[in-house]
Amino acid sequence: MHEHVTHPVPAEWAANAKIDADAYALKYRASVDDPDSFWLGEAQRIDWMRAPTKIKDTCFDTDNFRIKWFEDGTLNLAANCLDRHLATRGDDVAILWEPDHPDTPNRQLTYRELHEATCRFANLLKDKGVKRGDRVTIYLPMVPEAAVAMLACARIGAVHSIVFAGFSPDALAQRITDCESTIVLTSDEGLRGGKKVPLKANVDAACAKAKVDTVIMLRHTGADVPFVEGRDVDWAEAVAGMSAHCEPEEMNAEDPLFILYTSGSTGKPKGVLHTTGGYAVWASMTHEYTFDYRPGQIYWCAADIGWVTGHSYVVYGPLMNGATTLMFEGVPNYPDFSRFWQVVDKYEVEQFYAAPTALRALMREGDEWVKKTSRKSLKVLGSVGEPINPEAWDWYYDVVGDKRCPIVDTWWQTETGGHMITPLPGAHALKPGSASFPMFGVQPAVVDPADGHVLEGATEGALVILDSWPGQMRTVYGDHDRFIQTYFSQYPGKYFTGDGCRRDEDGYYWITGRIDDVINVSGHRMGTAEVESALVDHDAVAEAAVVGMPHDVKGQGIYAYVTTMEGVENTEELRKELIQWVRKEIGPIATPDVVQFAPGLPKTRSGKIMRRILRKIAENDTGNLGDTSTLADPSVVDDLLANSPHAK
Ligand code: WTA
C-alpha cells in the first residue's frame, strides 16, 4: 500500500532548491553523457594546488582494470576543510560539540580554532615520527579531537584508519596489525548514555597483540589510567609545546587519504582504501546537493566517526562546504527519549541525518517525546545505513518533520565514499522506503543474480554500478586481488554492491537489503563469517553458522546455530557464555540475539552449509523450506525446527 503514497516536492522547495527537477535531469544527463566536462566543473569546488587536467580514467574490466580520477591534480584535504575558510569565515563555528549529558558544558570550535588545533596536532604527529603515507590508527570517542586527528593526518599526508570505539581489543589489534600502523590515538575513556567505555584499557590490551610504538591519549573523563613510560603520550601536554603553524603537504589526487575497515561476506574485515581528490569532490558535492546545504546552516549528522557516514558527513563533506557541523557524543535515549529533538532545538539544527534503527527505537516510546519539542528549525531529514521501513519513514515524516521536511533516504556504502542513490529534496517526489534516484555520475543497473544480464524497466535483482564515480574506493589495503575479486568478478565489468534492489514502474530504486553473507544490525555491517569465527574460537564450539533474523528495532538481529564439541553439555549457562564471548571478541554490536544449539547443521553431501534453510528457520518462515533432498542428512532439519525459539 505504502508504495502508492507519493509526497510531491513542496512548492517552496521546487522554487528555491539548489537542484530542482529540471536541474536534476539536465545535470544527471550531462554527468553520464560527458563525465569529463561534468567532473571538471565539479572539481572547481576544490582548492587545488595544481589543477587537474586529466579527469577520468577508469575501466572495470579485469584485464584492463583502473580507477583514476583527477590524476595529475594535487591538493591537501585539510587545507580544503580549514585554510580556505579562514579569510571568509574564520570566526564561524566549524564544530559544535554536544556532550553525552546535557548538563556538561558544550564546546565549539571556530574554523580558526580548528585550524590551529589541527596544525599543532599535525606537528605532534610529525614529532612522533609520522611521515607521509604512514598509517595512524584512531580509536577515539565522539569529541572534537577526533576531527582534529583526522584533519591532522590529512594535513601531513598520513593515512588514518579509524576503528569504531565500540570494538573490542582483539578487533582493534587486528586492524592495527593489518594496516601496519605503529601509532594509536585514543582517550582515557569514552562516555555514552552515562556509561564509561574503557578505551585506554582496550588499547593497552590491543598493544599486547599488535606492535605499537606510540599511544597518544586524550584526557576526556579524567579517569585514572595506567601510563606506559616511553610509549604513552599525554595529548594536551604534548600539543602545548607544538607550533601552531604547519604547511599542508601537497598530495596527489590519487594518494591514499584513509583506510576504513568494513565487513564482507568472507574472512576478516577488509581495509577499504579511499584516495584524496575524487573523495574530496564526491563528499563535498553530495553533502551540498543531498542536504541542499547553504553556508551558515547548522547541520547535524548523528553518525559516529567510526563509520564512513561520520567520515564523509560529520567531518569532510560539511567542513569542505564551510558548514557548522554538530558532533554529538551521546545516544538518542539518554537522559530521555527527547534528547535528539532537544539538541535540534538547542542549536536550531536545519538538516538532521540519522539511521532508521534509532528512529524505530524512538518511535516505540510514543510521540510525546517528540511533540514536546519544537523542531521548527528543521528543513531536511536524512536516513542512512539500512533500509527504512515505510512505518518508520511515515513517523519520521509526520511526527519528527511535521510533514514539512523532505526525507532523503540515502543509499550508499563504505566502498562508495558518499551518497549513490538518494532523493534530492527539491527535485524528487518521495516514496516512503525508496532511495529513489541516482546521484550525478552514478549509473545503477539491476541484473539477474543468476546470469548477470541487465534487466530493464520495472524489475528486481542484484544492484550493480556500471561505471566509476569519483568517491569510489580504490583498493582493499594490502590486497588488491581481493578488491577485484569481491566487487568486479561476480558480474564482470560491473561493480557489484552486494545489495538486492527493485526498480518500480516510475524508475524509483528500492534497496531490499544484502544478498550476500553480510547482515545489517542497527545500521552496522557485520559479516556472518566474523561472528562464526568468534564462536568457533570458544573451546566448547565445534561449528557455527550465523544468519540474520528480522528484528523490530535493529532491522536485523544475529541468529547463531552452534554445534558443540563431543561431551559438552548444552546448558543455559553455556548459551549465555557464548553470547558474552562474542561480545567480548568483537564488540557489543556483534552480540547474538539467538544462540540455538544444533547437533548438526544442514549440509549438502559436499559439505556446504545450506544457509537458505537456516535463514528461513531464523525468519520463522518455515512453511516452505524448499528442496532439502540434497542434504547429507535431511533429519537435522527436523531437529532445528523443533528446537528453534519460534517453536517454543
Ligand atoms: C545498507 C553505510 C537501504 C546497504 C553508509 C549497504 C542501505 C550497506 C541504505 C552499507 C539505505 C546503506 N537503504 N540500505 N538508505 N544505506 N544501506 O558500508 O545494505 O556501513 O550495502 O555504509 O548498508 O553499509 P556501510
Side-chain angles (χ1 to χ4, degrees), residues 260 262-263 272 307-309 313 353 356 383-388 408-416 418-419 421 433-435 495 497-500 510-516 518-520 523-525:
L260 182 57
T262 193
S263 298
V272 168
W307 312 114
V308 72
T309 310
Y313 300 109
Y353 191 28
S383 173
V384 58
E386 50 176 326
I388 180 166
V408 290
D409 173 4
T410 61
W411 174 82
W412 58 296
Q413 310 177 297
T414 305
E415 294 88 338
T416 72
H419 303 154
I421 302 183
S434 168
Y495 169 81
T497 62
D499 280 307
W510 301 74
I511 310 299
T512 52
R514 301 290 303 200
I515 51 177
D516 53 7
V518 170
I519 53 183
N520 195 321
H524 302 321
R525 254 167 93 161

Short mmCIF file of all heavy atoms in Angstrom, two decimals, residues 260 262-263 272 307-309 313 353 356 383-388 408-416 418-419 421 433-435 495 497-500 510-516 518-520 523-525, ligand 1:
data_model
loop_
_atom_site.label_atom_id
_atom_site.label_comp_id
_atom_site.label_asym_id
_atom_site.label_seq_id
_atom_site.Cartn_x
_atom_site.Cartn_y
_atom_site.Cartn_z
N LEU A 260 39.35 2.40 6.02
CA LEU A 260 38.28 2.14 6.98
C LEU A 260 37.89 0.67 6.83
O LEU A 260 37.54 0.24 5.73
CB LEU A 260 37.10 3.07 6.71
CG LEU A 260 35.91 2.95 7.67
CD1 LEU A 260 36.31 3.16 9.12
CD2 LEU A 260 34.83 3.96 7.28
N THR A 262 35.79 -2.63 6.95
CA THR A 262 34.37 -2.97 6.90
C THR A 262 34.23 -4.46 6.67
O THR A 262 35.16 -5.13 6.22
CB THR A 262 33.63 -2.16 5.83
OG1 THR A 262 32.22 -2.31 6.03
CG2 THR A 262 33.98 -2.61 4.43
N SER A 263 33.05 -4.97 6.99
CA SER A 263 32.82 -6.41 6.92
C SER A 263 32.41 -6.83 5.53
O SER A 263 31.65 -6.14 4.86
CB SER A 263 31.72 -6.79 7.89
OG SER A 263 32.13 -6.49 9.18
N VAL A 272 39.07 -0.81 3.48
CA VAL A 272 38.63 -0.04 2.31
C VAL A 272 39.51 1.20 2.21
O VAL A 272 39.60 1.98 3.15
CB VAL A 272 37.15 0.35 2.47
CG1 VAL A 272 36.73 1.39 1.44
CG2 VAL A 272 36.26 -0.89 2.41
N TRP A 307 32.36 5.18 11.60
CA TRP A 307 31.75 4.63 10.38
C TRP A 307 31.97 5.61 9.25
O TRP A 307 32.27 6.78 9.46
CB TRP A 307 30.25 4.39 10.60
CG TRP A 307 29.96 3.64 11.85
CD1 TRP A 307 29.29 4.11 12.94
CD2 TRP A 307 30.35 2.30 12.18
NE1 TRP A 307 29.22 3.14 13.91
CE2 TRP A 307 29.86 2.02 13.46
CE3 TRP A 307 31.05 1.29 11.49
CZ2 TRP A 307 30.07 0.79 14.10
CZ3 TRP A 307 31.25 0.08 12.12
CH2 TRP A 307 30.75 -0.17 13.40
N VAL A 308 31.74 5.14 8.03
CA VAL A 308 32.01 6.01 6.88
C VAL A 308 31.10 7.24 6.89
O VAL A 308 31.50 8.32 6.46
CB VAL A 308 31.88 5.23 5.55
CG1 VAL A 308 30.44 4.90 5.21
CG2 VAL A 308 32.58 5.97 4.42
N THR A 309 29.90 7.09 7.42
CA THR A 309 28.99 8.25 7.46
C THR A 309 29.61 9.38 8.28
O THR A 309 29.49 10.55 7.92
CB THR A 309 27.63 7.83 8.05
OG1 THR A 309 27.18 6.66 7.36
CG2 THR A 309 26.60 8.93 7.88
N TYR A 313 30.22 12.69 6.28
CA TYR A 313 29.13 13.63 6.57
C TYR A 313 29.11 14.22 7.98
O TYR A 313 28.20 14.97 8.31
CB TYR A 313 27.78 13.00 6.19
CG TYR A 313 27.75 12.64 4.72
CD1 TYR A 313 27.79 11.31 4.29
CD2 TYR A 313 27.77 13.65 3.74
CE1 TYR A 313 27.81 11.00 2.94
CE2 TYR A 313 27.80 13.34 2.40
CZ TYR A 313 27.82 12.01 2.00
OH TYR A 313 27.86 11.71 0.65
N TYR A 353 20.41 14.03 10.25
CA TYR A 353 20.72 12.83 9.46
C TYR A 353 21.00 11.68 10.43
O TYR A 353 21.91 11.78 11.26
CB TYR A 353 21.97 13.16 8.64
CG TYR A 353 22.39 12.20 7.55
CD1 TYR A 353 21.49 11.40 6.88
CD2 TYR A 353 23.73 12.16 7.16
CE1 TYR A 353 21.91 10.56 5.85
CE2 TYR A 353 24.16 11.33 6.14
CZ TYR A 353 23.25 10.53 5.49
OH TYR A 353 23.67 9.70 4.48
N PRO A 356 17.82 4.57 10.56
CA PRO A 356 16.47 4.11 10.87
C PRO A 356 16.37 3.38 12.21
O PRO A 356 15.35 3.48 12.89
CB PRO A 356 16.14 3.14 9.72
CG PRO A 356 16.97 3.61 8.59
CD PRO A 356 18.23 4.16 9.20
N SER A 383 18.19 9.80 6.15
CA SER A 383 18.22 8.43 6.66
C SER A 383 19.37 7.70 5.99
O SER A 383 19.64 7.91 4.81
CB SER A 383 16.88 7.76 6.34
OG SER A 383 16.91 6.39 6.68
N VAL A 384 20.03 6.84 6.73
CA VAL A 384 21.22 6.18 6.18
C VAL A 384 21.52 4.87 6.89
O VAL A 384 21.24 4.72 8.07
CB VAL A 384 22.48 7.09 6.31
CG1 VAL A 384 22.76 7.47 7.74
CG2 VAL A 384 23.72 6.44 5.70
N GLY A 385 22.10 3.94 6.16
CA GLY A 385 22.71 2.77 6.78
C GLY A 385 21.96 1.48 6.60
O GLY A 385 22.54 0.41 6.71
N GLU A 386 20.69 1.55 6.35
CA GLU A 386 19.88 0.34 6.22
C GLU A 386 18.56 0.77 5.59
O GLU A 386 18.22 1.96 5.58
CB GLU A 386 19.63 -0.29 7.59
CG GLU A 386 19.12 0.74 8.57
CD GLU A 386 18.75 0.19 9.94
OE1 GLU A 386 18.28 -0.93 10.02
OE2 GLU A 386 18.91 0.95 10.90
N PRO A 387 17.82 -0.20 5.08
CA PRO A 387 16.52 0.18 4.52
C PRO A 387 15.64 0.79 5.61
O PRO A 387 15.66 0.34 6.74
CB PRO A 387 15.94 -1.17 4.06
CG PRO A 387 17.11 -2.08 3.91
CD PRO A 387 18.10 -1.63 4.94
N ILE A 388 14.91 1.84 5.26
CA ILE A 388 13.97 2.42 6.23
C ILE A 388 12.59 1.88 5.87
O ILE A 388 12.12 2.03 4.74
CB ILE A 388 14.03 3.96 6.28
CG1 ILE A 388 13.02 4.51 7.30
CG2 ILE A 388 13.86 4.62 4.91
CD1 ILE A 388 13.23 5.99 7.67
N VAL A 408 15.52 12.52 2.89
CA VAL A 408 16.47 11.97 1.92
C VAL A 408 16.96 10.63 2.44
O VAL A 408 17.67 10.54 3.43
CB VAL A 408 17.62 12.96 1.60
CG1 VAL A 408 17.08 14.14 0.79
CG2 VAL A 408 18.32 13.49 2.85
N ASP A 409 16.50 9.58 1.79
CA ASP A 409 16.86 8.20 2.16
C ASP A 409 18.07 7.84 1.32
O ASP A 409 17.95 7.47 0.16
CB ASP A 409 15.66 7.29 1.89
CG ASP A 409 15.98 5.82 2.08
OD1 ASP A 409 17.10 5.48 2.50
OD2 ASP A 409 15.09 4.98 1.79
N THR A 410 19.25 7.98 1.91
CA THR A 410 20.49 7.91 1.15
C THR A 410 21.06 6.50 1.14
O THR A 410 21.49 6.00 2.17
CB THR A 410 21.54 8.86 1.75
OG1 THR A 410 21.81 8.45 3.10
CG2 THR A 410 21.05 10.30 1.77
N TRP A 411 21.08 5.87 -0.01
CA TRP A 411 21.74 4.56 -0.12
C TRP A 411 23.19 4.75 -0.59
O TRP A 411 23.46 5.41 -1.58
CB TRP A 411 21.02 3.64 -1.12
CG TRP A 411 21.83 2.39 -1.30
CD1 TRP A 411 21.83 1.30 -0.49
CD2 TRP A 411 22.81 2.13 -2.31
NE1 TRP A 411 22.75 0.37 -0.93
CE2 TRP A 411 23.37 0.86 -2.05
CE3 TRP A 411 23.29 2.86 -3.40
CZ2 TRP A 411 24.37 0.29 -2.85
CZ3 TRP A 411 24.29 2.30 -4.19
CH2 TRP A 411 24.81 1.02 -3.91
N TRP A 412 24.09 4.16 0.16
CA TRP A 412 25.50 4.17 -0.23
C TRP A 412 26.24 3.19 0.66
O TRP A 412 25.63 2.44 1.41
CB TRP A 412 26.09 5.58 -0.18
CG TRP A 412 26.04 6.28 1.15
CD1 TRP A 412 24.92 6.67 1.83
CD2 TRP A 412 27.15 6.69 1.94
NE1 TRP A 412 25.28 7.30 3.00
CE2 TRP A 412 26.63 7.33 3.10
CE3 TRP A 412 28.54 6.61 1.79
CZ2 TRP A 412 27.47 7.86 4.09
CZ3 TRP A 412 29.35 7.14 2.77
CH2 TRP A 412 28.82 7.75 3.90
N GLN A 413 27.55 3.15 0.56
CA GLN A 413 28.35 2.14 1.27
C GLN A 413 29.72 2.71 1.63
O GLN A 413 30.17 3.69 1.03
CB GLN A 413 28.61 0.94 0.35
CG GLN A 413 27.38 0.39 -0.33
CD GLN A 413 27.69 -0.75 -1.28
OE1 GLN A 413 28.40 -0.56 -2.26
NE2 GLN A 413 27.17 -1.94 -0.98
N THR A 414 30.39 2.06 2.55
CA THR A 414 31.76 2.43 2.88
C THR A 414 32.58 2.52 1.59
O THR A 414 33.39 3.44 1.40
CB THR A 414 32.39 1.37 3.82
OG1 THR A 414 31.54 1.22 4.96
CG2 THR A 414 33.78 1.78 4.27
N GLU A 415 32.34 1.58 0.71
CA GLU A 415 33.08 1.49 -0.54
C GLU A 415 32.82 2.66 -1.49
O GLU A 415 33.64 2.96 -2.35
CB GLU A 415 32.70 0.20 -1.28
CG GLU A 415 33.11 -1.08 -0.60
CD GLU A 415 32.07 -1.60 0.40
OE1 GLU A 415 31.24 -0.80 0.88
OE2 GLU A 415 32.11 -2.81 0.70
N THR A 416 31.64 3.27 -1.37
CA THR A 416 31.27 4.29 -2.36
C THR A 416 31.67 5.70 -1.93
O THR A 416 31.55 6.63 -2.72
CB THR A 416 29.75 4.28 -2.67
OG1 THR A 416 29.04 4.80 -1.55
CG2 THR A 416 29.26 2.88 -3.01
N GLY A 418 30.41 8.09 -0.59
CA GLY A 418 29.33 9.06 -0.38
C GLY A 418 28.06 8.57 -1.05
O GLY A 418 28.02 7.48 -1.64
N HIS A 419 27.02 9.41 -0.99
CA HIS A 419 25.68 9.06 -1.48
C HIS A 419 25.70 8.60 -2.92
O HIS A 419 26.29 9.24 -3.79
CB HIS A 419 24.76 10.28 -1.38
CG HIS A 419 24.66 10.83 0.01
ND1 HIS A 419 24.36 12.15 0.27
CD2 HIS A 419 24.84 10.24 1.21
CE1 HIS A 419 24.33 12.35 1.58
NE2 HIS A 419 24.63 11.21 2.17
N ILE A 421 22.51 6.68 -4.29
CA ILE A 421 21.11 6.75 -4.72
C ILE A 421 20.36 7.45 -3.59
O ILE A 421 20.39 7.00 -2.45
CB ILE A 421 20.51 5.35 -4.97
CG1 ILE A 421 21.33 4.60 -6.04
CG2 ILE A 421 19.05 5.47 -5.39
CD1 ILE A 421 20.77 3.23 -6.42
N GLY A 433 10.33 4.73 1.81
CA GLY A 433 11.06 3.47 1.72
C GLY A 433 11.88 3.33 0.46
O GLY A 433 12.62 2.37 0.32
N SER A 434 11.77 4.31 -0.45
CA SER A 434 12.58 4.22 -1.67
C SER A 434 13.72 5.21 -1.62
O SER A 434 13.54 6.38 -1.30
CB SER A 434 11.72 4.53 -2.90
OG SER A 434 12.56 4.71 -4.03
N ALA A 435 14.92 4.72 -2.00
CA ALA A 435 16.08 5.62 -2.07
C ALA A 435 16.03 6.45 -3.37
O ALA A 435 16.88 7.31 -3.59
CB ALA A 435 17.38 4.83 -1.98
N TYR A 495 30.52 -3.06 -11.07
CA TYR A 495 30.75 -3.04 -9.62
C TYR A 495 29.54 -3.68 -8.94
O TYR A 495 28.41 -3.19 -9.08
CB TYR A 495 30.94 -1.59 -9.13
CG TYR A 495 30.91 -1.45 -7.62
CD1 TYR A 495 32.03 -1.73 -6.86
CD2 TYR A 495 29.74 -1.05 -6.96
CE1 TYR A 495 32.00 -1.62 -5.46
CE2 TYR A 495 29.70 -0.93 -5.57
CZ TYR A 495 30.84 -1.22 -4.84
OH TYR A 495 30.79 -1.11 -3.47
N THR A 497 27.38 -4.43 -5.73
CA THR A 497 27.19 -3.75 -4.45
C THR A 497 26.95 -4.70 -3.28
O THR A 497 27.09 -4.31 -2.13
CB THR A 497 25.94 -2.84 -4.52
OG1 THR A 497 24.79 -3.68 -4.76
CG2 THR A 497 26.06 -1.82 -5.65
N GLY A 498 26.51 -5.94 -3.59
CA GLY A 498 26.12 -6.85 -2.50
C GLY A 498 24.66 -6.68 -2.09
O GLY A 498 24.15 -7.43 -1.28
N ASP A 499 24.01 -5.67 -2.67
CA ASP A 499 22.61 -5.40 -2.30
C ASP A 499 21.65 -5.90 -3.37
O ASP A 499 21.96 -5.91 -4.56
CB ASP A 499 22.38 -3.89 -2.12
CG ASP A 499 22.85 -3.40 -0.76
OD1 ASP A 499 22.44 -3.99 0.24
OD2 ASP A 499 23.65 -2.44 -0.72
N GLY A 500 20.46 -6.26 -2.90
CA GLY A 500 19.36 -6.55 -3.80
C GLY A 500 18.55 -5.28 -3.99
O GLY A 500 18.62 -4.35 -3.18
N TRP A 510 14.43 0.77 -5.02
CA TRP A 510 14.10 0.32 -3.67
C TRP A 510 15.15 -0.69 -3.26
O TRP A 510 15.22 -1.78 -3.86
CB TRP A 510 12.73 -0.35 -3.65
CG TRP A 510 11.60 0.52 -4.10
CD1 TRP A 510 11.32 0.91 -5.39
CD2 TRP A 510 10.59 1.11 -3.27
NE1 TRP A 510 10.19 1.70 -5.41
CE2 TRP A 510 9.72 1.85 -4.13
CE3 TRP A 510 10.33 1.09 -1.90
CZ2 TRP A 510 8.62 2.56 -3.65
CZ3 TRP A 510 9.23 1.79 -1.42
CH2 TRP A 510 8.39 2.52 -2.28
N ILE A 511 15.97 -0.36 -2.28
CA ILE A 511 17.01 -1.30 -1.84
C ILE A 511 16.35 -2.34 -0.94
O ILE A 511 15.69 -1.97 0.04
CB ILE A 511 18.11 -0.57 -1.06
CG1 ILE A 511 18.62 0.66 -1.84
CG2 ILE A 511 19.25 -1.53 -0.71
CD1 ILE A 511 19.23 0.39 -3.19
N THR A 512 16.56 -3.60 -1.26
CA THR A 512 15.87 -4.64 -0.47
C THR A 512 16.77 -5.28 0.58
O THR A 512 16.31 -6.09 1.37
CB THR A 512 15.31 -5.72 -1.41
OG1 THR A 512 16.37 -6.18 -2.26
CG2 THR A 512 14.19 -5.18 -2.27
N GLY A 513 18.04 -4.93 0.61
CA GLY A 513 18.93 -5.49 1.64
C GLY A 513 20.01 -6.36 1.01
O GLY A 513 20.01 -6.62 -0.19
N ARG A 514 20.92 -6.81 1.85
CA ARG A 514 22.09 -7.56 1.35
C ARG A 514 21.67 -8.91 0.81
O ARG A 514 20.81 -9.58 1.38
CB ARG A 514 23.10 -7.77 2.49
CG ARG A 514 23.61 -6.49 3.13
CD ARG A 514 24.52 -5.68 2.28
NE ARG A 514 25.69 -6.40 1.82
CZ ARG A 514 26.81 -5.78 1.38
NH1 ARG A 514 26.91 -4.45 1.38
NH2 ARG A 514 27.80 -6.49 0.94
N ILE A 515 22.32 -9.28 -0.27
CA ILE A 515 22.07 -10.62 -0.81
C ILE A 515 23.31 -11.49 -0.68
O ILE A 515 23.41 -12.56 -1.25
CB ILE A 515 21.57 -10.56 -2.27
CG1 ILE A 515 22.49 -9.70 -3.14
CG2 ILE A 515 20.15 -10.03 -2.32
CD1 ILE A 515 22.07 -9.67 -4.60
N ASP A 516 24.31 -11.00 0.06
CA ASP A 516 25.48 -11.83 0.34
C ASP A 516 25.46 -12.20 1.82
O ASP A 516 24.44 -12.04 2.48
CB ASP A 516 26.78 -11.09 -0.04
CG ASP A 516 26.86 -9.72 0.62
OD1 ASP A 516 25.99 -9.39 1.47
OD2 ASP A 516 27.81 -8.97 0.31
N VAL A 518 26.38 -10.80 4.41
CA VAL A 518 26.58 -9.65 5.29
C VAL A 518 25.21 -9.35 5.89
O VAL A 518 24.20 -9.43 5.21
CB VAL A 518 27.09 -8.43 4.49
CG1 VAL A 518 27.08 -7.17 5.34
CG2 VAL A 518 28.49 -8.70 3.96
N ILE A 519 25.18 -9.06 7.20
CA ILE A 519 23.91 -8.65 7.78
C ILE A 519 24.05 -7.23 8.30
O ILE A 519 25.17 -6.72 8.48
CB ILE A 519 23.41 -9.63 8.87
CG1 ILE A 519 24.48 -9.87 9.94
CG2 ILE A 519 23.02 -10.96 8.23
CD1 ILE A 519 24.05 -10.88 10.98
N ASN A 520 22.93 -6.59 8.50
CA ASN A 520 22.94 -5.18 8.87
C ASN A 520 22.21 -5.04 10.20
O ASN A 520 20.99 -5.08 10.27
CB ASN A 520 22.24 -4.39 7.76
CG ASN A 520 22.53 -2.92 7.89
OD1 ASN A 520 22.59 -2.37 8.99
ND2 ASN A 520 22.73 -2.25 6.77
N GLY A 523 22.07 -0.79 11.56
CA GLY A 523 22.82 0.05 10.62
C GLY A 523 24.30 -0.25 10.60
O GLY A 523 25.06 0.41 9.89
N HIS A 524 24.74 -1.27 11.35
CA HIS A 524 26.16 -1.65 11.32
C HIS A 524 26.33 -2.91 10.51
O HIS A 524 25.63 -3.89 10.72
CB HIS A 524 26.69 -1.90 12.73
CG HIS A 524 26.54 -0.73 13.64
ND1 HIS A 524 26.74 0.57 13.22
CD2 HIS A 524 26.17 -0.64 14.93
CE1 HIS A 524 26.51 1.38 14.23
NE2 HIS A 524 26.15 0.68 15.27
N ARG A 525 27.31 -2.88 9.65
CA ARG A 525 27.58 -4.04 8.81
C ARG A 525 28.32 -5.10 9.57
O ARG A 525 29.30 -4.82 10.25
CB ARG A 525 28.46 -3.59 7.68
CG ARG A 525 27.77 -3.49 6.41
CD ARG A 525 28.65 -2.75 5.48
NE ARG A 525 29.46 -3.68 4.72
CZ ARG A 525 30.04 -3.33 3.60
NH1 ARG A 525 29.92 -2.10 3.15
NH2 ARG A 525 30.75 -4.19 2.94
C1 WTA B 1 22.92 -0.73 3.58
C2 WTA B 1 26.74 2.89 5.29
C3 WTA B 1 18.93 0.62 2.30
C4 WTA B 1 23.17 -1.49 2.29
C5 WTA B 1 26.60 4.22 4.53
C6 WTA B 1 24.63 -1.20 2.02
C7 WTA B 1 21.11 0.88 2.96
C8 WTA B 1 25.21 -1.17 3.42
C9 WTA B 1 20.97 2.28 2.91
C10 WTA B 1 26.45 -0.34 3.51
C11 WTA B 1 19.71 2.82 2.55
C12 WTA B 1 23.00 1.78 3.49
N1 WTA B 1 18.72 1.95 2.24
N2 WTA B 1 20.09 0.06 2.65
N3 WTA B 1 19.46 4.12 2.51
N4 WTA B 1 22.17 2.81 3.25
N5 WTA B 1 22.37 0.61 3.33
O1 WTA B 1 29.25 0.26 4.41
O2 WTA B 1 22.96 -2.86 2.52
O3 WTA B 1 28.21 0.67 6.67
O4 WTA B 1 25.25 -2.17 1.21
O5 WTA B 1 27.75 2.14 4.71
O6 WTA B 1 24.17 -0.62 4.23
O7 WTA B 1 26.84 -0.19 4.85
P1 WTA B 1 28.09 0.70 5.22
#
